[in-house]
Amino acid sequence: VCKSVKEWVEWKPNMGGFVRNWGQNESRRDASTQGDTGQWTTPDGNDLVETGVLYIILLDPNDKNALPERAIISLTGTQFKKFKKLNALISSFVLPRPDGKGTFTPACFARVYQAVAVPESNDKGDWFGWKITVVGTTHSQDGGPELYGAAKAFRDLIDKGEVKVAPPPGAET
């Protein structure tokens, strides 16, 4: 995980299409109303969806020769809980300081996680969701220092605004 952010994405009702990604700007949420089920509705009647966005370096554990790839995972609905759980795993990870005086929380890309699709269900139906677990520290993996450097470089590009997520094909920007 190179960066983890919560964004607000506006959609037309009943899967009617993409309207706008408001990013981390909560002004649209502040102007919207929240229903009994927790869903947000804009003044225009659109759905406003709280979305967890993970900017990641994707590794193929079955192919040691595969090159790492940059990717983005968006988590909404029932999967937003997985986003919050992952962020708790990231923020609770601490290491001892090199000088022996206490601990520190390293960068989010200091650990490697495994994400696996698993069957889930509730009274509304069945689907596949994410199961995310800790694999180990990044530096303990094959090519760990290089992977850490690649993740840091990706994070730096994101923070500089040089990485843009495009709207869905056919959506207005």
Side-chain angles (χ1 to χ4, degrees):
V1 176
C2 301
K3 186 163 183 148
S4 170
V5 296
K6 180 177 79 170
E7 297 183 345
W8 294 93
V9 181
E10 187 172 345
W11 299 89
K12 293 178 185 169
N14 302 315
M15 297 194 290
F18 175 80
V19 176
R20 179 176 175 184
N21 183 342
W22 291 87
Q24 297 175 56
N25 180 342
E26 296 192 343
S27 64
R28 189 67 166 163
R29 188 219 45 203
D30 293 344
S32 300
T33 56
Q34 189 175 22
D36 295 339
T37 60
Q39 291 194 257
W40 292 88
T41 304
T42 69
D44 306 326
N46 293 326
D47 298 325
L48 190 63
V49 180
E50 190 174 28
T51 305
V53 180
L54 300 172
Y55 296 84
I56 65 169
I57 300 286
L58 181 64
L59 305 171
D60 184 346
N62 300 317
D63 184 355
K64 298 297 181 191
N65 295 319
L67 295 174
E69 295 182 53
R70 294 175 179 172
I72 298 171
I73 298 174
S74 294
L75 303 164
T76 62
T78 59
Q79 299 310 296
F80 191 75
K81 293 176 188 174
K82 315 295 175 58
F83 173 77
K84 292 194 292 190
K85 180 182 174 188
L86 175 61
N87 280 317
L89 284 172
I90 291 169
S91 64
S92 66
F93 180 52
V94 294
L95 292 172
R97 291 192 175 281
D99 62 9
K101 297 179 182 177
T103 60
F104 72 101
T105 301
C108 60
F109 40 85
R111 284 207 288 193
V112 174
Y113 300 88
Q114 180 182 46
V116 178
V118 296
E120 295 184 6
S121 65
N122 63 18
D123 58 347
K124 295 180 181 178
D126 303 322
W127 66 93
F128 281 88
W130 293 106
K131 177 182 177 188
I132 301 171
T133 55
V134 176
V135 172
T137 64
T138 303
H139 278 80
S140 69
Q141 307 302 307
D142 287 341
E146 293 80 12
L147 180 59
Y148 187 94
K152 184 178 184 322
F154 189 27
R155 168 72 177 253
D156 290 345
L157 289 173
I158 296 162
D159 289 345
K160 289 178 186 172
E162 295 180 21
V163 175
K164 301 285 186 203
V165 180
E172 294 181 26
T173 55

